[in-house]
PDB file of all heavy atoms in Angstrom:
ATOM      1  N   LYS A   9      -8.622  19.365   8.635  1.00  0.00           N
ATOM      2  CA  LYS A   9      -8.705  20.198   9.962  1.00  0.00           C
ATOM      3  C   LYS A   9      -9.357  19.241  10.914  1.00  0.00           C
ATOM      4  O   LYS A   9     -10.548  18.847  10.639  1.00  0.00           O
ATOM      5  CB  LYS A   9      -9.469  21.510   9.687  1.00  0.00           C
ATOM      6  CG  LYS A   9      -8.605  22.673   9.199  1.00  0.00           C
ATOM      7  CD  LYS A   9      -9.267  24.004   9.465  1.00  0.00           C
ATOM      8  CE  LYS A   9      -8.272  25.087   9.154  1.00  0.00           C
ATOM      9  NZ  LYS A   9      -8.838  26.501   9.375  1.00  0.00           N
ATOM     10  N   PRO A  14      -5.420  22.705  11.770  1.00  0.00           N
ATOM     11  CA  PRO A  14      -4.901  22.201  10.501  1.00  0.00           C
ATOM     12  C   PRO A  14      -3.925  20.982  10.792  1.00  0.00           C
ATOM     13  O   PRO A  14      -3.071  21.105  11.748  1.00  0.00           O
ATOM     14  CB  PRO A  14      -4.144  23.429   9.915  1.00  0.00           C
ATOM     15  CG  PRO A  14      -4.644  24.604  10.516  1.00  0.00           C
ATOM     16  CD  PRO A  14      -4.981  24.242  11.933  1.00  0.00           C
ATOM     17  N   GLU A  20      -0.544   5.752   5.414  1.00  0.00           N
ATOM     18  CA  GLU A  20      -1.060   4.669   4.445  1.00  0.00           C
ATOM     19  C   GLU A  20      -2.450   5.138   4.087  1.00  0.00           C
ATOM     20  O   GLU A  20      -3.238   5.433   4.785  1.00  0.00           O
ATOM     21  CB  GLU A  20      -1.072   3.333   5.102  1.00  0.00           C
ATOM     22  CG  GLU A  20       0.258   2.823   5.541  1.00  0.00           C
ATOM     23  CD  GLU A  20       1.259   2.731   4.498  1.00  0.00           C
ATOM     24  OE1 GLU A  20       1.007   2.233   3.401  1.00  0.00           O
ATOM     25  OE2 GLU A  20       2.422   3.370   4.643  1.00  0.00           O
ATOM     26  N   GLY A  37     -11.564   9.816  22.326  1.00  0.00           N
ATOM     27  CA  GLY A  37     -13.003   9.946  22.614  1.00  0.00           C
ATOM     28  C   GLY A  37     -13.774   8.954  21.680  1.00  0.00           C
ATOM     29  O   GLY A  37     -14.607   8.243  22.168  1.00  0.00           O
ATOM     30  N   ALA A  38     -13.478   9.027  20.398  1.00  0.00           N
ATOM     31  CA  ALA A  38     -14.090   8.043  19.519  1.00  0.00           C
ATOM     32  C   ALA A  38     -13.546   6.660  19.775  1.00  0.00           C
ATOM     33  O   ALA A  38     -12.355   6.385  19.886  1.00  0.00           O
ATOM     34  CB  ALA A  38     -13.784   8.405  17.991  1.00  0.00           C
ATOM     35  N   GLU A  40     -13.389   2.288  19.454  1.00  0.00           N
ATOM     36  CA  GLU A  40     -13.689   1.175  18.591  1.00  0.00           C
ATOM     37  C   GLU A  40     -14.480   0.138  19.270  1.00  0.00           C
ATOM     38  O   GLU A  40     -14.083  -0.351  20.321  1.00  0.00           O
ATOM     39  CB  GLU A  40     -12.333   0.552  18.036  1.00  0.00           C
ATOM     40  CG  GLU A  40     -12.640  -0.636  17.210  1.00  0.00           C
ATOM     41  CD  GLU A  40     -11.447  -1.110  16.339  1.00  0.00           C
ATOM     42  OE1 GLU A  40     -10.314  -0.600  16.575  1.00  0.00           O
ATOM     43  OE2 GLU A  40     -11.685  -1.941  15.485  1.00  0.00           O
ATOM     44  N   GLY A  45     -18.639  -0.957  11.300  1.00  0.00           N
ATOM     45  CA  GLY A  45     -19.689   0.009  10.923  1.00  0.00           C
ATOM     46  C   GLY A  45     -21.020  -0.244  11.460  1.00  0.00           C
ATOM     47  O   GLY A  45     -22.045   0.299  10.843  1.00  0.00           O
ATOM     48  N   GLY A  56     -19.909  18.367   8.737  1.00  0.00           N
ATOM     49  CA  GLY A  56     -21.347  18.527   9.183  1.00  0.00           C
ATOM     50  C   GLY A  56     -22.212  17.210   9.023  1.00  0.00           C
ATOM     51  O   GLY A  56     -23.377  17.394   9.393  1.00  0.00           O
ATOM     52  N   GLY A  57     -21.653  16.141   8.562  1.00  0.00           N
ATOM     53  CA  GLY A  57     -22.447  14.892   8.504  1.00  0.00           C
ATOM     54  C   GLY A  57     -21.831  13.932   9.422  1.00  0.00           C
ATOM     55  O   GLY A  57     -20.614  13.966   9.777  1.00  0.00           O
ATOM     56  N   ARG A  59     -20.180  10.516  10.398  1.00  0.00           N
ATOM     57  CA  ARG A  59     -19.429   9.502   9.662  1.00  0.00           C
ATOM     58  C   ARG A  59     -18.871   8.540  10.736  1.00  0.00           C
ATOM     59  O   ARG A  59     -18.544   8.914  11.924  1.00  0.00           O
ATOM     60  CB  ARG A  59     -18.351  10.066   8.910  1.00  0.00           C
ATOM     61  CG  ARG A  59     -18.790  11.145   7.941  1.00  0.00           C
ATOM     62  CD  ARG A  59     -19.245  10.597   6.670  1.00  0.00           C
ATOM     63  NE  ARG A  59     -18.177  10.364   5.735  1.00  0.00           N
ATOM     64  CZ  ARG A  59     -17.581  11.262   4.901  1.00  0.00           C
ATOM     65  NH1 ARG A  59     -18.096  12.544   4.822  1.00  0.00           N
ATOM     66  NH2 ARG A  59     -16.571  10.899   4.084  1.00  0.00           N
ATOM     67  N   ILE A  66      -8.301   7.488   5.810  1.00  0.00           N
ATOM     68  CA  ILE A  66      -7.802   8.887   5.926  1.00  0.00           C
ATOM     69  C   ILE A  66      -7.481   9.443   4.467  1.00  0.00           C
ATOM     70  O   ILE A  66      -7.635  10.690   4.222  1.00  0.00           O
ATOM     71  CB  ILE A  66      -6.641   8.912   6.834  1.00  0.00           C
ATOM     72  CG1 ILE A  66      -6.254  10.364   7.097  1.00  0.00           C
ATOM     73  CG2 ILE A  66      -5.399   8.155   6.302  1.00  0.00           C
ATOM     74  CD1 ILE A  66      -7.269  11.124   7.962  1.00  0.00           C
ATOM     75  N   VAL A  74     -13.014  17.776  10.284  1.00  0.00           N
ATOM     76  CA  VAL A  74     -13.470  16.626  11.195  1.00  0.00           C
ATOM     77  C   VAL A  74     -13.669  17.265  12.713  1.00  0.00           C
ATOM     78  O   VAL A  74     -12.750  18.055  13.101  1.00  0.00           O
ATOM     79  CB  VAL A  74     -12.457  15.607  11.205  1.00  0.00           C
ATOM     80  CG1 VAL A  74     -12.846  14.449  12.225  1.00  0.00           C
ATOM     81  CG2 VAL A  74     -12.172  14.936   9.842  1.00  0.00           C
ATOM     82  N   GLY A  79     -13.587  18.185  20.300  1.00  0.00           N
ATOM     83  CA  GLY A  79     -13.776  19.450  19.707  1.00  0.00           C
ATOM     84  C   GLY A  79     -15.176  20.017  19.796  1.00  0.00           C
ATOM     85  O   GLY A  79     -15.344  21.156  19.341  1.00  0.00           O
ATOM     86  N   SER A  81     -16.950  20.735  22.442  1.00  0.00           N
ATOM     87  CA  SER A  81     -16.892  21.905  23.408  1.00  0.00           C
ATOM     88  C   SER A  81     -15.684  21.625  24.217  1.00  0.00           C
ATOM     89  O   SER A  81     -15.286  20.477  24.390  1.00  0.00           O
ATOM     90  CB  SER A  81     -18.121  22.083  24.184  1.00  0.00           C
ATOM     91  OG  SER A  81     -18.267  20.986  25.100  1.00  0.00           O
ATOM     92  N   ASP A  83     -15.633  22.408  27.471  1.00  0.00           N
ATOM     93  CA  ASP A  83     -16.102  22.433  28.801  1.00  0.00           C
ATOM     94  C   ASP A  83     -17.481  21.678  29.027  1.00  0.00           C
ATOM     95  O   ASP A  83     -18.163  22.029  29.869  1.00  0.00           O
ATOM     96  CB  ASP A  83     -16.204  23.848  29.414  1.00  0.00           C
ATOM     97  CG  ASP A  83     -17.079  24.706  28.495  1.00  0.00           C
ATOM     98  OD1 ASP A  83     -17.553  24.216  27.492  1.00  0.00           O
ATOM     99  OD2 ASP A  83     -17.245  25.873  28.895  1.00  0.00           O
ATOM    100  N   ARG A  84     -17.773  20.782  28.052  1.00  0.00           N
ATOM    101  CA  ARG A  84     -18.997  20.016  28.110  1.00  0.00           C
ATOM    102  C   ARG A  84     -20.234  20.991  28.102  1.00  0.00           C
ATOM    103  O   ARG A  84     -21.230  20.735  28.727  1.00  0.00           O
ATOM    104  CB  ARG A  84     -19.125  19.131  29.341  1.00  0.00           C
ATOM    105  CG  ARG A  84     -17.962  18.175  29.393  1.00  0.00           C
ATOM    106  CD  ARG A  84     -18.113  17.290  30.655  1.00  0.00           C
ATOM    107  NE  ARG A  84     -16.961  16.354  30.771  1.00  0.00           N
ATOM    108  CZ  ARG A  84     -16.745  15.601  31.842  1.00  0.00           C
ATOM    109  NH1 ARG A  84     -17.541  15.692  32.861  1.00  0.00           N
ATOM    110  NH2 ARG A  84     -15.769  14.693  31.864  1.00  0.00           N
ATOM    111  N   ALA A  91     -27.641  18.395  28.403  1.00  0.00           N
ATOM    112  CA  ALA A  91     -28.846  17.630  28.584  1.00  0.00           C
ATOM    113  C   ALA A  91     -28.493  16.127  29.011  1.00  0.00           C
ATOM    114  O   ALA A  91     -29.255  15.594  29.906  1.00  0.00           O
ATOM    115  CB  ALA A  91     -29.660  17.679  27.333  1.00  0.00           C
ATOM    116  N   GLY A 101     -20.268   4.825  29.646  1.00  0.00           N
ATOM    117  CA  GLY A 101     -19.753   5.916  28.960  1.00  0.00           C
ATOM    118  C   GLY A 101     -19.098   5.404  27.597  1.00  0.00           C
ATOM    119  O   GLY A 101     -18.651   6.402  26.873  1.00  0.00           O
ATOM    120  N   ARG A 116     -28.186  19.959  14.453  1.00  0.00           N
ATOM    121  CA  ARG A 116     -27.750  20.991  13.592  1.00  0.00           C
ATOM    122  C   ARG A 116     -28.836  21.080  12.392  1.00  0.00           C
ATOM    123  O   ARG A 116     -29.109  22.088  11.839  1.00  0.00           O
ATOM    124  CB  ARG A 116     -26.367  20.754  13.054  1.00  0.00           C
ATOM    125  CG  ARG A 116     -25.835  22.092  12.336  1.00  0.00           C
ATOM    126  CD  ARG A 116     -24.398  21.865  11.942  1.00  0.00           C
ATOM    127  NE  ARG A 116     -23.578  21.503  13.015  1.00  0.00           N
ATOM    128  CZ  ARG A 116     -22.847  20.413  13.066  1.00  0.00           C
ATOM    129  NH1 ARG A 116     -22.899  19.546  12.035  1.00  0.00           N
ATOM    130  NH2 ARG A 116     -22.068  20.127  14.105  1.00  0.00           N
ATOM    131  N   ASN A 118     -32.018  19.627  12.464  1.00  0.00           N
ATOM    132  CA  ASN A 118     -33.268  19.457  12.822  1.00  0.00           C
ATOM    133  C   ASN A 118     -33.437  19.981  14.323  1.00  0.00           C
ATOM    134  O   ASN A 118     -33.017  19.282  15.256  1.00  0.00           O
ATOM    135  CB  ASN A 118     -33.835  17.943  12.786  1.00  0.00           C
ATOM    136  CG  ASN A 118     -35.274  17.778  13.172  1.00  0.00           C
ATOM    137  OD1 ASN A 118     -35.900  18.665  13.728  1.00  0.00           O
ATOM    138  ND2 ASN A 118     -35.844  16.628  12.891  1.00  0.00           N
ATOM    139  N   ILE A 126     -35.197  10.930  16.133  1.00  0.00           N
ATOM    140  CA  ILE A 126     -34.061  10.640  16.970  1.00  0.00           C
ATOM    141  C   ILE A 126     -33.650   9.153  16.887  1.00  0.00           C
ATOM    142  O   ILE A 126     -32.461   8.825  16.598  1.00  0.00           O
ATOM    143  CB  ILE A 126     -34.430  11.029  18.466  1.00  0.00           C
ATOM    144  CG1 ILE A 126     -34.558  12.500  18.596  1.00  0.00           C
ATOM    145  CG2 ILE A 126     -33.275  10.448  19.353  1.00  0.00           C
ATOM    146  CD1 ILE A 126     -35.259  12.881  19.932  1.00  0.00           C
ATOM    147  N   ASP A 156     -35.387  27.544  24.402  1.00  0.00           N
ATOM    148  CA  ASP A 156     -36.766  27.255  24.942  1.00  0.00           C
ATOM    149  C   ASP A 156     -36.674  26.718  26.373  1.00  0.00           C
ATOM    150  O   ASP A 156     -37.643  26.537  26.974  1.00  0.00           O
ATOM    151  CB  ASP A 156     -37.535  26.397  24.074  1.00  0.00           C
ATOM    152  CG  ASP A 156     -37.895  27.071  22.722  1.00  0.00           C
ATOM    153  OD1 ASP A 156     -37.757  28.303  22.595  1.00  0.00           O
ATOM    154  OD2 ASP A 156     -38.282  26.347  21.760  1.00  0.00           O
ATOM    155  N   THR A 168     -28.217  11.175  40.955  1.00  0.00           N
ATOM    156  CA  THR A 168     -27.826   9.831  40.448  1.00  0.00           C
ATOM    157  C   THR A 168     -28.814   8.797  40.967  1.00  0.00           C
ATOM    158  O   THR A 168     -29.577   9.062  41.953  1.00  0.00           O
ATOM    159  CB  THR A 168     -26.441   9.405  40.932  1.00  0.00           C
ATOM    160  OG1 THR A 168     -26.573   9.280  42.338  1.00  0.00           O
ATOM    161  CG2 THR A 168     -25.380  10.372  40.609  1.00  0.00           C
TER     162      THR A 168
END
Side-chain angles (χ1 to χ4, degrees):
K9 275 198 172 180
E20 300 301 309
E40 179 161 10
R59 305 277 276 274
I66 191 68
V74 177
S81 72
D83 53 1
R84 300 180 183 172
R116 192 178 307 118
N118 181 347
I126 294 167
D156 293 342
T168 63

